[in-house]
Amino acid sequence: MTVLGDLDPGQRARVQHVRCEPRVRRRLLEMGLLPGTEIEVIRRAPMGDPIEVRLRGYSLSLRHAEAAGVEVSPRSESVRAGRPSTASPLPAE
Amino acid sequence: MSEMPQVLVAGNPNAGKTTLFNQLAGTRARTGNYPGVTVDRRTARVTLGQGEGAREVELIDVPGTYSLTASSPEEAIAVDAILGTITPEEASTKAVVVVADATSLARGLYLTLQVLECGFPTVLGLNMMDEARELGLAIDSAGLSEALGVPVVEMVARRREGMEALSDAILAVLDDDPPPPPALAWGPAVERAVERVAEAYADVPDPRRREAWARWALMSEIDGDDLELRPEVRAACRAARTESAEDLDVQLVAARYAEVDELVRRHVEGEGPRTARGDSLDRWLTHPVAGMLAFALVMLMVFEALFSWSEPLIGWVEEGIVFSQDFLRASMPAGLFTDLLVEGVVAGVGNVLVFVPQIALLFFLLGFLEDCGYLARVAFVIDRLMKGVGLHGKAFVPLLGGFACAVPAVMATRTLSDRKDRLVTMLALPLMSCSARLPVYVLVVATVFVHQGDVLGFLSVGAVALLAMYGLSLGATLGAAAILRRTVLKGPRPTLVLELPPYRWPLVRNLVASTWARVRTFLIDAGTVILALTIVLWALLTFPKDPAVTERFDAERAEVTASLAGEERTEALTAIDGAEASAQLERSAAGRLGKAIEPAIAPLGMDWRLGIGVIGAFAAREVFVSTLGIVFGVGDEVDEESETLREELRAAKWPDGRSLMTPLAGVALMVFFVFACQCMSTIAVVRRESGSWKWPILMVVYMTVLAYVAALAVFQVGSAMGWGV
């Protein structure tokens, strides 16, 4: 199982589950971080935390603590091109 | 027409909602406050349209929000404004304009769907169309309008493009029936849950709004929320959640996003930016070396602005006050009323106005950083350090501001969206050594560390002591934040979920409007408290007057006038004035209070004279110096550089002949000032920003206890060890 916090900058993935503290979880869901959403890690902050991710055409920063609760399935690096920026969600599960 | 229709301007943060509001409102915008919370309520009465169809409406700027779930005070306000009160009768006609950033439409559409669920006449404004076109995005707004059932207006708010079309669209929908509810595939689990919770809202007549409330409650009700939910609603939410085998949160949100994605797929062509615009800039601004350097430079500039640029402006304010005081003294008969006016009222107005330059500069810069997008990067870059003491990355600027002055810094905590983050920051930051403490340190250091040697050959003992005070205050601030976070403001683990918006050039008009709004609320809300406290303090330091003292000094004056002439006479008279002021102060309420507390402060190395200084310093810490000037009979026009005052202090003795201002006593006094909340303006502004007296009282108590214990420890341990006595 991989979580968002494990990904390196430049890696892309699809969100599987969001398992954070309920309050944060709702916030992340409403910001568009849903199961099925495509997400890319852009960079880490100078001191390693938080990270910047890109999804649905905008940039979001979240701490490792939050990113550790987001389970993802990484995509191979070769599919970098030709991805729609607003991902359509897969049926959950 | 019976009531003026309300038009709410809602939208995501950074979508240009405020720009649109300012363009439509022009100079008619008024800033008020939502009752009980410190969120600005900006409204304007404007006439929309031209000619016969023109109508006057009340435009309301709703705080920026990503969704209608209440997770910050701003969002709670947005929910209230849009969903309305639960009372059956709607106050007046209402329409909602949703401002969406056309360059990242998905999140704007998410909010739009939520607004449509509530069932009010709605217009969708696609802002920043110019940028969207540059990025190669083609938005089929006619198709979008048809799919949503509401007018969709393309616009560039900062260039006033599309404003007329928007006005017309608002007028067109104002008296219409609400648009159809969005056809969302909620799924049976969500539908069942909503139905169940909606029963608890049986008094809401409109079934559609009932369901909107139910969905809001399902997404907002959570353990430990501070929502004022009816018990039956809360119970229904919990029951619905336990009964459901499905994940209601995900299903609710996913149903909306499925529709959003479908709308984007059908009506937006082009992929949009694969990387964020300004990504190359971000590569530098968040770089481990270059980024930290840029960060340091920007923060240095903010600091310079508060510390140095504000100085001439503050100087003008002070000169203006002194001028008006002199003028009043010269043109009015001497007496109590004139004293009240000059020393109480005018001085109080001065105590308020003196903060305006720093507040205005800080909020102008803060607004600039926020609107251009860098403030989010400040949080991104420095969050790691702030996290350690339980603070949010955005708390850095207010803390930094605390080195200059706690008053604007406390006001700057509004950039934090979470209420607890806000409170922790504003209660801890008055421990930062502000610039008003510096005159106290300088006076004490120059008094007690004159003939000491150097440390390491180049630093004087005084400089080391000064540095130590700054280090102590920084440590205390961070420690206090960590402790507050773990005790009185305990809550769920603080988080950072923050959009990093694209860099954009700010509009000066918006910055001026937001700066003015801040200054205005300060003048009205905190200013009145500061003015009142100044007058109370003046009375404490003035009354009761002892007629015997006046008589005695009048006799002395008569004698001097008769026997001396020229410069000698003037000098003698000044000395008598000083001695009289000192004698009167000693007999005033504050003087008596100083003597009364002497037993309590003597273990800290302070006698009643320093006690009066501490009481006087409550007006503002630097007043300590001029109060001591009066106490020691050198007049109130002294500053910390006054050699006469230093000499007097060095010569001061306890009744048993020991020196008062030993190096140890000096250090204890400085330590006291590091911790003590000796500033009525800070208290007034914390009261204003926290929304109750509870928090400033807590702050005064904890800071005073800390100050007392720390100064006691320094003086007692030092005395026992024989250091600097």
Side-chain angles (χ1 to χ4, degrees):
Chain A
M1 183 203 74
T2 317
V3 296
L4 186 56
D6 297 338
L7 299 186
D8 288 322
Q11 260 190 302
R12 290 195 287 133
R14 201 175 272 272
V15 177
Q16 298 281 327
H17 300 280
V18 184
R19 303 189 201 276
C20 306
E21 193 258 327
R23 208 178 293 261
V24 188
R25 181 168 190 268
R26 284 182 183 171
R27 181 118 190 117
L28 291 176
L29 292 174
E30 293 212 285
M31 297 290 278
L33 211 138
L34 282 163
T37 307
E38 290 238 13
I39 191 164
E40 178 178 348
V41 176
I42 303 295
R43 59 172 60 85
R44 289 181 212 286
M47 286 177 268
D49 196 19
I51 60 170
E52 175 182 347
V53 298
R54 196 153 171 83
L55 71 155
R56 295 182 190 271
Y58 79 100
S59 299
L60 184 72
S61 85
L62 62 168
R63 288 179 181 162
H64 268 292
E66 281 103 59
V70 181
E71 284 175 28
V72 294
S73 58
R75 322 196 91 195
S76 64
E77 307 261 335
S78 57
V79 272
R80 280 192 72 112
R83 173 192 59 98
S85 61
T86 43
S88 51
L90 293 178
E93 317 305 293
Chain B
M1 241 167 294
S2 53
E3 284 266 359
M4 191 180 295
Q6 292 186 332
V7 176
L8 308 178
V9 183
N12 294 158
N14 313 310
K17 182 182 60 62
T18 304
T19 308
L20 173 72
F21 179 86
N22 287 344
Q23 296 285 27
L24 289 176
T27 53
R28 274 155 296 178
R30 292 166 181 282
T31 306
N33 252 282
Y34 288 96
V37 285
T38 51
V39 178
D40 285 340
R41 179 189 160 91
R42 301 185 64 220
T43 58
R45 291 184 171 194
V46 297
T47 308
L48 295 179
Q50 271 143 15
E52 288 204 359
R55 266 176 91 172
E56 201 178 24
V57 300
E58 186 180 26
L59 209 59
I60 301 172
D61 189 11
V62 177
T65 180
Y66 293 108
S67 78
L68 293 187
T69 303
S71 59
S72 77
E74 278 78 11
E75 286 174 352
I77 294 293
V79 173
D80 279 353
I82 294 170
L83 266 169
T85 46
I86 307 186
T87 51
E89 69 276 5
E90 277 296 327
S92 55
T93 328
K94 178 156 112 175
V96 185
V97 177
V98 182
V99 184
D101 177 351
T103 67
S104 80
L105 197 53
R107 263 173 329 143
L109 286 175
Y110 183 83
L111 180 66
T112 309
L113 290 180
Q114 278 190 302
V115 170
L116 288 176
E117 286 167 34
C118 304
F120 292 103
T122 303
V123 175
L124 173 61
L126 298 182
N127 194 20
M128 306 177 189
M129 281 302 292
D130 52 342
E131 286 183 34
R133 281 185 211 110
E134 268 169 44
L135 291 166
L137 288 168
I139 301 174
D140 164 26
S141 45
L144 203 54
S145 166
E146 199 175 322
L148 291 169
V150 301
V152 175
V153 180
E154 301 186 1
M155 56 189 206
V156 185
R158 58 187 296 149
R159 294 209 307 252
R160 297 195 59 89
E161 283 173 27
M163 296 295 104
E164 270 176 39
L166 186 76
S167 300
D168 292 345
I170 296 169
L171 288 177
V173 299
L174 212 45
D175 296 317
D176 274 2
D177 290 333
L184 301 181
W186 297 113
V190 170
E191 270 166 20
R192 244 190 335 267
V194 167
E195 200 176 314
R196 172 164 198 150
V197 178
E199 280 169 19
Y201 282 111
D203 55 331
V204 178
D206 180 353
R208 182 165 165 192
R209 216 153 292 162
R210 202 147 60 210
E211 285 180 10
W213 273 109
R215 280 188 289 266
W216 167 81
L218 274 170
M219 279 303 282
S220 301
E221 194 277 331
I222 206 163
D223 267 341
D225 62 39
D226 35 22
L227 301 170
E228 285 169 26
L229 278 180
R230 307 176 200 182
E232 64 268 29
V233 171
R234 202 176 278 282
C237 286
R238 292 191 174 170
R241 218 170 286 129
T242 14
E243 275 169 27
S244 174
E246 310 282 332
D247 188 333
L248 291 175
D249 289 353
V250 168
Q251 295 215 344
L252 256 164
V253 179
R256 293 187 188 121
Y257 265 111
E259 176 69 10
V260 166
D261 289 331
E262 183 63 15
L263 288 167
V264 169
R265 196 180 61 75
R266 284 206 197 154
H267 304 291
V268 182
E269 245 176 79
E271 289 191 353
R274 219 195 66 71
T275 53
R277 280 160 300 144
D279 192 60
S280 47
L281 194 56
D282 256 343
R283 217 166 289 159
W284 287 105
L285 291 179
T286 59
H287 185 271
V289 179
M292 294 312 276
L293 207 65
F295 173 82
L297 277 176
V298 172
M299 291 303 123
L300 197 67
M301 193 190 72
V302 172
F303 190 69
E304 268 297 297
L306 284 181
F307 227 85
S308 312
W309 304 354
S310 64
E311 217 163 79
L313 301 171
I314 294 174
W316 292 339
V317 172
E318 284 170 344
E319 278 167 31
I321 293 299
V322 169
F323 176 82
S324 349
Q325 286 177 321
D326 291 347
F327 178 79
L328 283 174
R329 278 243 180 273
S331 56
M332 290 178 63
L336 247 177
F337 180 70
T338 309
D339 283 352
L340 167 70
L341 212 56
V342 172
E343 308 290 336
V345 179
V346 178
V349 170
N351 280 345
V352 176
L353 290 182
V354 82
F355 290 110
V356 169
Q358 283 180 326
I359 291 172
L361 274 167
L362 180 62
F363 279 97
F364 192 85
L365 286 172
L366 211 54
F368 183 90
L369 293 178
E370 184 144 43
D371 287 3
C372 79
Y374 188 69
L375 198 63
R377 272 75 181 184
V378 167
F380 183 68
V381 165
I382 207 69
D383 182 69
R384 181 70 218 279
L385 284 185
M386 308 299 288
K387 188 180 72 169
V389 287
L391 287 173
H392 189 281
K394 274 194 177 175
F396 187 84
V397 176
L399 284 189
L400 180 77
F403 268 130
C405 177
V407 169
V410 165
M411 292 172 70
T413 56
R414 283 201 201 187
T415 48
L416 296 160
S417 56
D418 181 80
R419 187 171 151 77
K420 279 191 173 142
D421 283 344
R422 217 178 263 189
L423 283 171
V424 169
T425 313
M426 81 170 77
L427 294 181
L429 74 81
L431 285 169
M432 295 292 264
S433 258
C434 63
S435 57
R437 283 170 172 104
L438 196 56
V440 179
Y441 299 159
V442 168
L443 175 70
V444 172
V445 163
T447 302
V448 302
F449 293 121
V450 257
H451 306 301
Q452 312 277 337
D454 289 349
V455 179
L456 304 170
F458 65 95
L459 278 173
S460 68
V461 175
V464 172
L466 206 57
L467 275 177
M469 293 308 133
Y470 276 88
L472 184 63
S473 89
L474 186 62
T477 310
L478 300 180
I483 291 170
L484 285 167
R485 176 60 92 187
R486 282 167 184 75
T487 54
V488 277
L489 288 162
K490 208 174 157 120
R493 200 166 45 83
T495 56
L496 178 102
V497 177
L498 184 69
E499 185 190 356
L500 299 174
Y503 291 104
R504 290 193 173 106
W505 199 247
L507 280 186
V508 175
R509 170 200 261 263
N510 286 355
L511 299 182
V512 170
S514 65
T515 304
W516 168 237
R518 272 294 96 72
V519 170
R520 193 172 167 276
T521 45
F522 168 77
L523 290 178
I524 293 171
D525 297 327
T528 42
V529 177
I530 296 172
L531 178 62
L533 287 175
T534 308
I535 294 172
V536 169
L537 215 51
W538 166 79
L540 276 180
L541 290 161
T542 310
F543 298 106
K545 276 196 193 289
D546 187 340
V549 172
T550 321
E551 233 167 78
R552 197 176 83 222
F553 284 96
D554 279 347
E556 275 186 38
R557 254 185 226 111
E559 200 187 308
V560 165
T561 322
S563 60
L564 295 172
E567 211 149 287
E568 258 180 304
R569 183 202 279 177
T570 324
E571 249 171 57
L573 283 177
T574 315
I576 294 172
D577 286 349
E580 183 184 3
S582 170
Q584 289 289 15
L585 180 57
E586 192 183 334
R587 282 162 186 77
S588 72
R592 286 160 210 238
L593 196 59
K595 285 190 173 165
I597 61 170
E598 197 184 76
I601 59 175
L604 318 186
M606 291 191 233
D607 71 349
W608 64 271
R609 290 171 291 190
L610 294 176
I612 298 177
V614 167
I615 293 168
F618 191 64
R621 292 177 178 93
E622 72 270 21
V623 175
F624 181 72
V625 177
S626 56
T627 310
L628 284 191
I630 302 176
V631 175
F632 286 93
V634 279
D636 62 348
E637 309 227 325
V638 293
D639 62 16
E640 65 276 15
E641 305 292 337
S642 161
E643 201 47 50
T644 332
L645 180 57
R646 290 175 190 172
E647 287 299 336
E648 289 286 343
L649 281 170
R650 276 179 215 131
K653 298 265 188 282
W654 286 93
D656 62 7
R658 283 178 299 132
S659 274
L660 175 65
M661 291 298 286
T662 60
L664 179 64
V667 171
L669 184 61
M670 285 195 286
V671 166
F672 183 83
F673 268 89
V674 166
F675 294 119
C677 189
Q678 287 292 102
C679 180
M680 62 180 189
S681 308
T682 304
I683 296 169
V685 86
V686 168
R687 149 82 188 83
R688 172 71 193 74
E689 296 293 317
S690 67
S692 84
W693 277 108
K694 175 178 156 195
W695 299 109
I697 289 171
L698 172 77
M699 176 181 74
V700 172
V701 170
Y702 100 79
M703 287 178 72
T704 309
V705 169
L706 202 57
Y708 187 87
V709 171
L712 180 74
V714 167
F715 193 74
Q716 290 305 321
V717 173
S719 299
M721 307 297 282
W723 294 329
V725 287

